[in-house]
Amino acid sequence: KAGVTQTPRYLIKTRGQQVTLSCSPISGHRSVSWYQQTPGQGLQFLFEYFSETQRNKGNFPGRFSGRQFSNSRSEMNVSTLELGDSALYLCASSSGQVNSYEQYFGPGTRLTVT
Amino acid sequence: AQSVTQPDIHITVSEGASLELRCNYSYGATPYLFWYVQSPGQGLQLLLKYFSGDTLVQGIKGFEAEFKRSQSSFNLRKPSVHWSDAAEYFCAVASFSGSARQLTFGSGTQLTVLP
């Protein structure tokens, strides 16, 4: 079974621009979560989507948003980029079933904001 | 609120030596605990998980972890470290709000393996 894929792997943007990152979960998985990883703040939860609905959200400003499509693929968008948004953005996939808790991570998208 | 503490930022061991990485958690209910490993430039790979039952859980790559409720700990161990184990290790606890879930991670422990 193919793992979680994320595109693009690397991205360089300018402050004030917006960016869209994409994640394809493991086949059959319906839950996608996003995390931001930075040296200063570590791994922080952004949001979780299940069946096209956001069912959990972390403590991030409204500039961070996401969505999920009917095929479970997910995108996250960051508008009005700031230098502090430079990070590794990780997508995690899980089945989303009641008794399933483990999450499987993709390789991440490295975003650099200049 | 849930939290995870990994007291050791960096650990250095010699190849072939045993390893123990510490993890302490804070969570009001029964914890669901995980260890992940991250190699440079890569995502996180799940090493093992604890949900319930036997407090000693086995994972991939020869790793094991022991859940100790009385100490709120979930330490990761390996009897003999290989050079390829050099990476960053993260402990995490799952939390739930209704059907929603998220992982809260510790700050990580960087493992260096000396030849």
Side-chain angles (χ1 to χ4, degrees), chain B residues 3-8 19-27 30-37 45-60 63-78 89-94 103-106 109:
Chain B
S3 67
V4 177
T5 302
Q6 293 180 247
D8 304 306
L19 171 71
E20 182 169 32
L21 302 182
R22 296 183 291 165
C23 171
N24 293 99
Y25 67 90
S26 173
Y27 189 61
T30 301
Y32 295 87
L33 297 161
F34 307 85
W35 274 100
Y36 285 88
V37 61
Q45 182 181 21
L46 179 63
L47 283 176
L48 46 76
K49 58 185 183 282
Y50 171 78
F51 295 158
S52 64
D54 194 349
T55 56
L56 185 64
V57 294
Q58 302 297 320
I60 62 172
F63 286 93
E64 66 179 25
E66 185 172 15
F67 170 66
K68 292 185 177 179
R69 185 185 297 276
S70 62
Q71 298 177 20
S72 297
S73 69
F74 188 56
N75 294 347
L76 181 71
R77 301 195 295 244
K78 186 169 185 178
Y89 292 78
F90 293 93
C91 181
V93 63
L103 293 178
T104 298
F105 287 88
T109 298

Short mmCIF file of all heavy atoms in Angstrom, two decimals, chain B residues 3-8 19-27 30-37 45-60 63-78 89-94 103-106 109:
data_model
loop_
_atom_site.label_atom_id
_atom_site.label_comp_id
_atom_site.label_asym_id
_atom_site.label_seq_id
_atom_site.Cartn_x
_atom_site.Cartn_y
_atom_site.Cartn_z
N SER B 3 0.16 17.02 27.86
CA SER B 3 1.52 17.45 27.55
C SER B 3 2.44 16.26 27.57
O SER B 3 2.14 15.23 28.18
CB SER B 3 2.00 18.52 28.53
OG SER B 3 2.14 17.99 29.82
N VAL B 4 3.57 16.40 26.89
CA VAL B 4 4.59 15.36 26.84
C VAL B 4 5.93 16.02 27.08
O VAL B 4 6.25 17.05 26.45
CB VAL B 4 4.58 14.65 25.47
CG1 VAL B 4 5.70 13.62 25.41
CG2 VAL B 4 3.23 13.98 25.22
N THR B 5 6.72 15.42 27.95
CA THR B 5 8.06 15.93 28.25
C THR B 5 9.10 14.88 27.91
O THR B 5 9.01 13.73 28.35
CB THR B 5 8.18 16.29 29.74
OG1 THR B 5 7.19 17.27 30.07
CG2 THR B 5 9.56 16.86 30.03
N GLN B 6 10.06 15.29 27.12
CA GLN B 6 11.22 14.46 26.85
C GLN B 6 12.40 15.20 27.46
O GLN B 6 12.87 16.19 26.90
CB GLN B 6 11.39 14.25 25.34
CG GLN B 6 10.27 13.42 24.74
CD GLN B 6 10.45 13.20 23.25
OE1 GLN B 6 9.68 13.70 22.43
NE2 GLN B 6 11.48 12.46 22.89
N PRO B 7 12.89 14.74 28.60
CA PRO B 7 13.87 15.53 29.37
C PRO B 7 15.24 15.64 28.69
O PRO B 7 15.99 16.57 28.97
CB PRO B 7 14.01 14.77 30.69
CG PRO B 7 12.98 13.70 30.67
CD PRO B 7 12.49 13.53 29.28
N ASP B 8 15.56 14.70 27.83
CA ASP B 8 16.88 14.69 27.20
C ASP B 8 16.80 15.25 25.80
O ASP B 8 16.15 14.66 24.94
CB ASP B 8 17.42 13.25 27.17
CG ASP B 8 17.46 12.64 28.55
OD1 ASP B 8 18.06 13.27 29.44
OD2 ASP B 8 16.88 11.56 28.74
N LEU B 19 20.15 1.53 24.90
CA LEU B 19 19.60 2.87 24.81
C LEU B 19 18.30 2.95 25.58
O LEU B 19 17.48 2.02 25.56
CB LEU B 19 19.31 3.20 23.34
CG LEU B 19 18.53 4.48 23.05
CD1 LEU B 19 19.39 5.70 23.35
CD2 LEU B 19 18.05 4.50 21.61
N GLU B 20 18.11 4.05 26.29
CA GLU B 20 16.81 4.34 26.88
C GLU B 20 16.52 5.82 26.70
O GLU B 20 17.29 6.68 27.12
CB GLU B 20 16.74 3.98 28.36
CG GLU B 20 15.35 4.26 28.94
CD GLU B 20 15.15 3.66 30.34
OE1 GLU B 20 16.14 3.59 31.10
OE2 GLU B 20 14.02 3.28 30.67
N LEU B 21 15.41 6.13 26.06
CA LEU B 21 14.95 7.50 25.87
C LEU B 21 13.73 7.71 26.76
O LEU B 21 12.79 6.93 26.72
CB LEU B 21 14.60 7.77 24.40
CG LEU B 21 15.71 7.53 23.39
CD1 LEU B 21 15.22 7.89 21.99
CD2 LEU B 21 16.95 8.32 23.72
N ARG B 22 13.76 8.80 27.50
CA ARG B 22 12.72 9.03 28.49
C ARG B 22 11.56 9.86 27.93
O ARG B 22 11.78 10.77 27.11
CB ARG B 22 13.31 9.72 29.72
CG ARG B 22 14.33 8.88 30.46
CD ARG B 22 14.80 9.59 31.70
NE ARG B 22 15.60 10.77 31.39
CZ ARG B 22 15.90 11.72 32.27
NH1 ARG B 22 15.44 11.66 33.51
NH2 ARG B 22 16.66 12.75 31.92
N CYS B 23 10.38 9.54 28.42
CA CYS B 23 9.18 10.27 28.04
C CYS B 23 8.22 10.29 29.22
O CYS B 23 7.91 9.24 29.78
CB CYS B 23 8.50 9.61 26.84
SG CYS B 23 6.87 10.29 26.44
N ASN B 24 7.77 11.46 29.60
CA ASN B 24 6.75 11.61 30.63
C ASN B 24 5.56 12.34 30.03
O ASN B 24 5.73 13.29 29.28
CB ASN B 24 7.30 12.38 31.84
CG ASN B 24 8.35 11.60 32.56
OD1 ASN B 24 9.54 11.81 32.37
ND2 ASN B 24 7.93 10.66 33.38
N TYR B 25 4.37 11.91 30.38
CA TYR B 25 3.18 12.51 29.80
C TYR B 25 2.26 13.01 30.90
O TYR B 25 2.34 12.58 32.06
CB TYR B 25 2.44 11.48 28.94
CG TYR B 25 1.85 10.36 29.76
CD1 TYR B 25 0.56 10.46 30.28
CD2 TYR B 25 2.60 9.23 30.06
CE1 TYR B 25 0.03 9.47 31.07
CE2 TYR B 25 2.08 8.22 30.85
CZ TYR B 25 0.80 8.34 31.35
OH TYR B 25 0.28 7.36 32.15
N SER B 26 1.39 13.89 30.51
CA SER B 26 0.33 14.37 31.39
C SER B 26 -0.96 14.31 30.61
O SER B 26 -1.09 14.97 29.57
CB SER B 26 0.60 15.81 31.84
OG SER B 26 -0.49 16.33 32.58
N TYR B 27 -1.88 13.49 31.10
CA TYR B 27 -3.16 13.33 30.40
C TYR B 27 -4.17 12.82 31.39
O TYR B 27 -3.89 11.91 32.16
CB TYR B 27 -3.02 12.38 29.22
CG TYR B 27 -4.24 12.32 28.32
CD1 TYR B 27 -4.68 13.46 27.66
CD2 TYR B 27 -4.94 11.14 28.15
CE1 TYR B 27 -5.79 13.42 26.84
CE2 TYR B 27 -6.05 11.10 27.32
CZ TYR B 27 -6.48 12.23 26.68
OH TYR B 27 -7.58 12.19 25.87
N THR B 30 -7.11 7.64 30.18
CA THR B 30 -6.19 6.59 29.74
C THR B 30 -5.43 7.08 28.52
O THR B 30 -6.03 7.47 27.53
CB THR B 30 -6.97 5.32 29.35
OG1 THR B 30 -7.71 4.88 30.48
CG2 THR B 30 -6.01 4.24 28.90
N PRO B 31 -4.11 7.09 28.60
CA PRO B 31 -3.34 7.64 27.48
C PRO B 31 -3.15 6.65 26.34
O PRO B 31 -3.05 5.45 26.57
CB PRO B 31 -1.99 7.97 28.14
CG PRO B 31 -1.84 6.92 29.19
CD PRO B 31 -3.23 6.64 29.70
N TYR B 32 -3.15 7.18 25.16
CA TYR B 32 -2.73 6.43 23.98
C TYR B 32 -1.40 7.03 23.56
O TYR B 32 -1.33 8.20 23.18
CB TYR B 32 -3.77 6.54 22.87
CG TYR B 32 -5.07 5.91 23.25
CD1 TYR B 32 -6.05 6.62 23.95
CD2 TYR B 32 -5.33 4.57 22.95
CE1 TYR B 32 -7.24 6.03 24.31
CE2 TYR B 32 -6.53 3.98 23.31
CZ TYR B 32 -7.48 4.71 24.00
OH TYR B 32 -8.66 4.13 24.37
N LEU B 33 -0.35 6.24 23.64
CA LEU B 33 1.01 6.75 23.54
C LEU B 33 1.75 6.18 22.32
O LEU B 33 1.51 5.03 21.93
CB LEU B 33 1.79 6.40 24.81
CG LEU B 33 1.24 7.05 26.08
CD1 LEU B 33 1.73 6.31 27.32
CD2 LEU B 33 1.65 8.52 26.14
N PHE B 34 2.63 6.99 21.78
CA PHE B 34 3.35 6.63 20.58
C PHE B 34 4.81 7.08 20.67
O PHE B 34 5.13 8.06 21.34
CB PHE B 34 2.73 7.31 19.34
CG PHE B 34 1.26 7.09 19.19
CD1 PHE B 34 0.34 7.89 19.84
CD2 PHE B 34 0.80 6.07 18.38
CE1 PHE B 34 -1.01 7.69 19.70
CE2 PHE B 34 -0.57 5.86 18.22
CZ PHE B 34 -1.47 6.67 18.89
N TRP B 35 5.65 6.35 19.96
CA TRP B 35 7.00 6.82 19.67
C TRP B 35 7.16 6.86 18.16
O TRP B 35 6.81 5.90 17.45
CB TRP B 35 8.06 5.88 20.26
CG TRP B 35 8.40 6.17 21.69
CD1 TRP B 35 7.94 5.54 22.80
CD2 TRP B 35 9.31 7.17 22.16
NE1 TRP B 35 8.50 6.07 23.94
CE2 TRP B 35 9.34 7.08 23.57
CE3 TRP B 35 10.12 8.14 21.55
CZ2 TRP B 35 10.15 7.91 24.38
CZ3 TRP B 35 10.90 8.97 22.32
CH2 TRP B 35 10.91 8.84 23.72
N TYR B 36 7.70 8.00 17.71
CA TYR B 36 8.01 8.18 16.30
C TYR B 36 9.51 8.50 16.16
O TYR B 36 10.13 9.05 17.07
CB TYR B 36 7.23 9.37 15.72
CG TYR B 36 5.76 9.11 15.47
CD1 TYR B 36 4.81 9.31 16.47
CD2 TYR B 36 5.32 8.69 14.22
CE1 TYR B 36 3.47 9.09 16.23
CE2 TYR B 36 3.97 8.47 13.97
CZ TYR B 36 3.05 8.67 14.99
OH TYR B 36 1.72 8.46 14.74
N VAL B 37 10.05 8.19 14.98
CA VAL B 37 11.43 8.52 14.67
C VAL B 37 11.46 9.35 13.39
O VAL B 37 10.67 9.12 12.47
CB VAL B 37 12.31 7.26 14.53
CG1 VAL B 37 11.82 6.36 13.41
CG2 VAL B 37 13.77 7.63 14.31
N GLN B 45 8.23 8.39 11.32
CA GLN B 45 7.89 6.98 11.16
C GLN B 45 7.44 6.43 12.51
O GLN B 45 8.12 6.63 13.53
CB GLN B 45 9.10 6.19 10.66
CG GLN B 45 8.80 4.71 10.43
CD GLN B 45 10.02 3.95 9.95
OE1 GLN B 45 11.16 4.34 10.14
NE2 GLN B 45 9.76 2.80 9.31
N LEU B 46 6.33 5.75 12.52
CA LEU B 46 5.80 5.17 13.75
C LEU B 46 6.63 3.98 14.17
O LEU B 46 6.78 3.02 13.42
CB LEU B 46 4.34 4.76 13.54
CG LEU B 46 3.63 4.11 14.72
CD1 LEU B 46 3.52 5.09 15.89
CD2 LEU B 46 2.25 3.63 14.30
N LEU B 47 7.19 4.04 15.39
CA LEU B 47 7.98 2.93 15.92
C LEU B 47 7.12 1.95 16.69
O LEU B 47 7.26 0.74 16.53
CB LEU B 47 9.06 3.47 16.88
CG LEU B 47 10.30 4.11 16.26
CD1 LEU B 47 11.19 4.66 17.38
CD2 LEU B 47 11.06 3.14 15.38
N LEU B 48 6.27 2.48 17.56
CA LEU B 48 5.40 1.62 18.35
C LEU B 48 4.31 2.44 18.99
O LEU B 48 4.36 3.67 18.99
CB LEU B 48 6.20 0.84 19.42
CG LEU B 48 7.21 1.60 20.26
CD1 LEU B 48 6.55 2.44 21.34
CD2 LEU B 48 8.19 0.62 20.92
N LYS B 49 3.32 1.72 19.54
CA LYS B 49 2.18 2.38 20.16
C LYS B 49 1.71 1.59 21.36
O LYS B 49 1.90 0.38 21.44
CB LYS B 49 1.04 2.52 19.15
CG LYS B 49 0.56 1.19 18.58
CD LYS B 49 -0.48 1.41 17.51
CE LYS B 49 -1.03 0.09 16.98
NZ LYS B 49 -0.11 -0.56 16.04
N TYR B 50 1.10 2.31 22.31
CA TYR B 50 0.47 1.68 23.46
C TYR B 50 -0.95 2.20 23.56
O TYR B 50 -1.18 3.42 23.65
CB TYR B 50 1.23 1.99 24.75
CG TYR B 50 0.48 1.52 25.97
CD1 TYR B 50 0.48 0.19 26.33
CD2 TYR B 50 -0.30 2.42 26.71
CE1 TYR B 50 -0.24 -0.25 27.42
CE2 TYR B 50 -1.03 1.98 27.80
CZ TYR B 50 -1.00 0.65 28.16
OH TYR B 50 -1.73 0.22 29.24
N PHE B 51 -1.89 1.26 23.59
CA PHE B 51 -3.29 1.64 23.79
C PHE B 51 -3.82 1.08 25.10
O PHE B 51 -4.50 1.75 25.85
CB PHE B 51 -4.15 1.14 22.63
CG PHE B 51 -3.83 1.79 21.31
CD1 PHE B 51 -4.16 1.18 20.12
CD2 PHE B 51 -3.17 3.01 21.24
CE1 PHE B 51 -3.87 1.77 18.89
CE2 PHE B 51 -2.87 3.62 20.03
CZ PHE B 51 -3.23 2.98 18.85
N SER B 52 -3.53 -0.21 25.35
CA SER B 52 -4.00 -0.85 26.56
C SER B 52 -3.33 -2.21 26.64
O SER B 52 -2.59 -2.61 25.74
CB SER B 52 -5.52 -1.02 26.54
OG SER B 52 -5.91 -1.87 25.50
N GLY B 53 -3.60 -2.94 27.73
CA GLY B 53 -3.08 -4.29 27.83
C GLY B 53 -1.66 -4.33 28.34
O GLY B 53 -1.28 -3.57 29.24
N ASP B 54 -0.86 -5.22 27.77
CA ASP B 54 0.50 -5.44 28.21
C ASP B 54 1.27 -4.11 28.21
O ASP B 54 1.29 -3.39 27.22
CB ASP B 54 1.19 -6.44 27.29
CG ASP B 54 2.50 -6.96 27.88
OD1 ASP B 54 2.96 -6.41 28.90
OD2 ASP B 54 3.05 -7.92 27.32
N THR B 55 1.91 -3.83 29.33
CA THR B 55 2.59 -2.53 29.46
C THR B 55 3.93 -2.49 28.74
O THR B 55 4.52 -1.41 28.62
CB THR B 55 2.79 -2.17 30.94
OG1 THR B 55 3.52 -3.23 31.57
CG2 THR B 55 1.45 -1.99 31.64
N LEU B 56 4.43 -3.61 28.29
CA LEU B 56 5.66 -3.65 27.51
C LEU B 56 5.27 -3.91 26.07
O LEU B 56 4.72 -4.97 25.76
CB LEU B 56 6.60 -4.75 28.05
CG LEU B 56 7.98 -4.82 27.39
CD1 LEU B 56 8.77 -3.54 27.67
CD2 LEU B 56 8.75 -6.03 27.89
N VAL B 57 5.53 -2.95 25.21
CA VAL B 57 5.13 -3.09 23.82
C VAL B 57 6.36 -3.17 22.93
O VAL B 57 7.37 -2.51 23.17
CB VAL B 57 4.22 -1.93 23.37
CG1 VAL B 57 2.91 -2.00 24.11
CG2 VAL B 57 4.87 -0.58 23.59
N GLN B 58 6.24 -3.99 21.91
CA GLN B 58 7.33 -4.17 20.96
C GLN B 58 7.03 -3.36 19.70
O GLN B 58 5.88 -3.22 19.29
CB GLN B 58 7.47 -5.65 20.60
CG GLN B 58 7.71 -6.55 21.79
CD GLN B 58 9.02 -6.25 22.49
OE1 GLN B 58 10.04 -5.98 21.86
NE2 GLN B 58 9.01 -6.27 23.84
N GLY B 59 8.09 -2.85 19.11
CA GLY B 59 7.90 -2.08 17.89
C GLY B 59 8.82 -2.57 16.79
O GLY B 59 9.38 -3.66 16.86
N ILE B 60 8.97 -1.73 15.80
CA ILE B 60 9.83 -2.08 14.68
C ILE B 60 11.28 -1.75 15.02
O ILE B 60 11.57 -1.04 16.00
CB ILE B 60 9.40 -1.33 13.40
CG1 ILE B 60 9.52 0.19 13.60
CG2 ILE B 60 7.98 -1.71 13.02
CD1 ILE B 60 9.30 1.00 12.32
N PHE B 63 12.98 -1.95 18.72
CA PHE B 63 12.64 -1.06 19.83
C PHE B 63 11.49 -1.63 20.66
O PHE B 63 10.64 -2.35 20.15
CB PHE B 63 12.24 0.33 19.31
CG PHE B 63 13.40 1.15 18.83
CD1 PHE B 63 13.76 1.15 17.50
CD2 PHE B 63 14.11 1.93 19.73
CE1 PHE B 63 14.85 1.90 17.06
CE2 PHE B 63 15.19 2.70 19.30
CZ PHE B 63 15.55 2.68 17.96
N GLU B 64 11.49 -1.28 21.93
CA GLU B 64 10.40 -1.60 22.82
C GLU B 64 10.18 -0.41 23.74
O GLU B 64 11.05 0.46 23.90
CB GLU B 64 10.67 -2.85 23.65
CG GLU B 64 11.81 -2.71 24.62
CD GLU B 64 12.04 -3.96 25.45
OE1 GLU B 64 11.68 -5.07 25.00
OE2 GLU B 64 12.59 -3.83 26.56
N ALA B 65 9.01 -0.35 24.34
CA ALA B 65 8.72 0.71 25.30
C ALA B 65 7.88 0.15 26.42
O ALA B 65 7.10 -0.79 26.23
CB ALA B 65 7.98 1.87 24.62
N GLU B 66 8.05 0.73 27.59
CA GLU B 66 7.31 0.27 28.76
C GLU B 66 6.45 1.39 29.30
O GLU B 66 6.95 2.49 29.59
CB GLU B 66 8.25 -0.24 29.84
CG GLU B 66 7.51 -0.85 31.03
CD GLU B 66 8.42 -1.54 32.02
OE1 GLU B 66 9.65 -1.32 31.96
OE2 GLU B 66 7.90 -2.28 32.87
N PHE B 67 5.18 1.13 29.45
CA PHE B 67 4.23 2.08 30.01
C PHE B 67 4.18 1.88 31.53
O PHE B 67 3.93 0.76 32.00
CB PHE B 67 2.85 1.87 29.40
CG PHE B 67 1.75 2.64 30.08
CD1 PHE B 67 1.74 4.02 30.04
CD2 PHE B 67 0.72 1.97 30.73
CE1 PHE B 67 0.72 4.73 30.65
CE2 PHE B 67 -0.30 2.69 31.34
CZ PHE B 67 -0.30 4.07 31.30
N LYS B 68 4.41 2.95 32.26
CA LYS B 68 4.31 2.90 33.72
C LYS B 68 3.35 4.00 34.16
O LYS B 68 3.71 5.18 34.22
CB LYS B 68 5.68 3.09 34.37
CG LYS B 68 6.65 1.94 34.12
CD LYS B 68 7.95 2.13 34.90
CE LYS B 68 8.88 0.94 34.68
NZ LYS B 68 10.17 1.10 35.41
N ARG B 69 2.15 3.58 34.49
CA ARG B 69 1.12 4.55 34.86
C ARG B 69 1.51 5.32 36.11
O ARG B 69 1.28 6.52 36.19
CB ARG B 69 -0.22 3.84 35.07
CG ARG B 69 -1.39 4.79 35.33
CD ARG B 69 -2.65 4.01 35.64
NE ARG B 69 -3.08 3.19 34.53
CZ ARG B 69 -3.80 3.62 33.51
NH1 ARG B 69 -4.20 4.89 33.47
NH2 ARG B 69 -4.15 2.79 32.55
N SER B 70 2.08 4.63 37.08
CA SER B 70 2.41 5.27 38.36
C SER B 70 3.44 6.38 38.20
O SER B 70 3.50 7.32 38.99
CB SER B 70 2.93 4.22 39.36
OG SER B 70 4.11 3.63 38.87
N GLN B 71 4.25 6.26 37.17
CA GLN B 71 5.29 7.27 36.92
C GLN B 71 4.94 8.17 35.73
O GLN B 71 5.73 9.04 35.38
CB GLN B 71 6.63 6.58 36.65
CG GLN B 71 7.13 5.75 37.83
CD GLN B 71 8.42 5.02 37.54
OE1 GLN B 71 9.16 5.36 36.62
NE2 GLN B 71 8.72 3.99 38.32
N SER B 72 3.79 7.94 35.13
CA SER B 72 3.38 8.69 33.92
C SER B 72 4.51 8.69 32.90
O SER B 72 4.86 9.73 32.32
CB SER B 72 3.00 10.14 34.29
OG SER B 72 1.90 10.17 35.15
N SER B 73 5.07 7.51 32.69
CA SER B 73 6.20 7.42 31.77
C SER B 73 5.97 6.39 30.68
O SER B 73 5.18 5.46 30.84
CB SER B 73 7.48 7.09 32.52
OG SER B 73 7.44 5.77 33.02
N PHE B 74 6.67 6.58 29.60
CA PHE B 74 6.60 5.66 28.45
C PHE B 74 7.97 5.71 27.80
O PHE B 74 8.17 6.32 26.76
CB PHE B 74 5.49 6.11 27.50
CG PHE B 74 5.20 5.14 26.38
CD1 PHE B 74 4.86 3.82 26.63
CD2 PHE B 74 5.23 5.58 25.05
CE1 PHE B 74 4.58 2.93 25.60
CE2 PHE B 74 4.94 4.70 24.01
CZ PHE B 74 4.62 3.38 24.28
N ASN B 75 8.93 5.05 28.42
CA ASN B 75 10.31 5.12 27.96
C ASN B 75 10.59 4.13 26.85
O ASN B 75 10.12 2.99 26.86
CB ASN B 75 11.27 4.86 29.13
CG ASN B 75 11.20 5.97 30.18
OD1 ASN B 75 10.63 7.04 29.94
ND2 ASN B 75 11.78 5.71 31.33
N LEU B 76 11.38 4.58 25.91
CA LEU B 76 11.76 3.77 24.75
C LEU B 76 13.11 3.13 25.00
O LEU B 76 14.03 3.79 25.48
CB LEU B 76 11.82 4.67 23.51
CG LEU B 76 12.17 4.01 22.17
CD1 LEU B 76 11.00 3.15 21.69
CD2 LEU B 76 12.50 5.07 21.12
N ARG B 77 13.25 1.85 24.62
CA ARG B 77 14.50 1.14 24.87
C ARG B 77 14.91 0.33 23.65
O ARG B 77 14.06 -0.08 22.84
CB ARG B 77 14.37 0.21 26.07
CG ARG B 77 13.99 0.91 27.37
CD ARG B 77 14.23 0.03 28.54
NE ARG B 77 13.36 -1.16 28.53
CZ ARG B 77 12.43 -1.40 29.45
NH1 ARG B 77 12.23 -0.51 30.42
NH2 ARG B 77 11.71 -2.50 29.41
N LYS B 78 16.22 0.13 23.58
CA LYS B 78 16.76 -0.79 22.58
C LYS B 78 18.01 -1.41 23.18
O LYS B 78 18.87 -0.69 23.69
CB LYS B 78 17.08 -0.07 21.26
CG LYS B 78 17.49 -1.02 20.15
CD LYS B 78 17.55 -0.35 18.79
CE LYS B 78 17.86 -1.38 17.71
NZ LYS B 78 17.89 -0.78 16.34
N TYR B 89 13.95 11.37 17.94
CA TYR B 89 12.87 10.53 18.42
C TYR B 89 11.84 11.39 19.16
O TYR B 89 12.20 12.22 20.00
CB TYR B 89 13.41 9.44 19.34
CG TYR B 89 14.25 8.43 18.60
CD1 TYR B 89 15.57 8.71 18.24
CD2 TYR B 89 13.71 7.21 18.21
CE1 TYR B 89 16.33 7.80 17.52
CE2 TYR B 89 14.47 6.29 17.50
CZ TYR B 89 15.78 6.59 17.16
OH TYR B 89 16.52 5.68 16.45
N PHE B 90 10.59 11.14 18.83
CA PHE B 90 9.50 11.91 19.42
C PHE B 90 8.51 10.98 20.12
O PHE B 90 8.07 9.99 19.54
CB PHE B 90 8.75 12.71 18.35
CG PHE B 90 9.56 13.80 17.72
CD1 PHE B 90 10.27 13.56 16.56
CD2 PHE B 90 9.59 15.06 18.28
CE1 PHE B 90 11.03 14.57 15.97
CE2 PHE B 90 10.34 16.08 17.70
CZ PHE B 90 11.07 15.82 16.55
N CYS B 91 8.15 11.36 21.32
CA CYS B 91 7.09 10.70 22.05
C CYS B 91 5.83 11.53 21.88
O CYS B 91 5.90 12.77 21.79
CB CYS B 91 7.49 10.63 23.53
SG CYS B 91 6.31 9.82 24.61
N ALA B 92 4.67 10.88 21.79
CA ALA B 92 3.43 11.61 21.57
C ALA B 92 2.29 10.95 22.32
O ALA B 92 2.28 9.73 22.54
CB ALA B 92 3.09 11.68 20.08
N VAL B 93 1.31 11.76 22.70
CA VAL B 93 0.08 11.27 23.32
C VAL B 93 -1.10 11.73 22.47
O VAL B 93 -1.11 12.86 21.98
CB VAL B 93 -0.05 11.76 24.78
CG1 VAL B 93 -0.16 13.28 24.86
CG2 VAL B 93 -1.23 11.11 25.47
N ALA B 94 -2.05 10.84 22.27
CA ALA B 94 -3.25 11.19 21.52
C ALA B 94 -4.30 11.72 22.47
O ALA B 94 -4.49 11.18 23.56
CB ALA B 94 -3.79 9.97 20.78
N LEU B 103 -2.51 14.57 18.00
CA LEU B 103 -1.33 14.14 18.73
C LEU B 103 -0.63 15.36 19.32
O LEU B 103 -0.49 16.39 18.66
CB LEU B 103 -0.35 13.42 17.78
CG LEU B 103 -0.80 12.07 17.21
CD1 LEU B 103 0.26 11.54 16.26
CD2 LEU B 103 -1.08 11.08 18.33
N THR B 104 -0.21 15.20 20.57
CA THR B 104 0.64 16.20 21.22
C THR B 104 2.01 15.56 21.37
O THR B 104 2.14 14.48 21.95
CB THR B 104 0.09 16.60 22.59
OG1 THR B 104 -1.21 17.19 22.41
CG2 THR B 104 1.01 17.61 23.27
N PHE B 105 3.03 16.27 20.85
CA PHE B 105 4.37 15.71 20.82
C PHE B 105 5.26 16.32 21.88
O PHE B 105 5.10 17.48 22.29
CB PHE B 105 5.01 15.99 19.46
CG PHE B 105 4.46 15.17 18.33
CD1 PHE B 105 3.35 15.61 17.61
CD2 PHE B 105 5.03 13.96 17.99
CE1 PHE B 105 2.84 14.86 16.56
CE2 PHE B 105 4.53 13.20 16.94
CZ PHE B 105 3.43 13.64 16.24
N GLY B 106 6.25 15.53 22.31
CA GLY B 106 7.33 16.08 23.09
C GLY B 106 8.27 16.85 22.17
O GLY B 106 8.09 16.86 20.95
N THR B 109 14.15 13.97 21.18
CA THR B 109 15.50 13.65 21.65
C THR B 109 16.34 13.29 20.44
O THR B 109 15.98 12.38 19.68
CB THR B 109 15.50 12.48 22.64
OG1 THR B 109 14.74 12.83 23.80
CG2 THR B 109 16.92 12.11 23.04
#
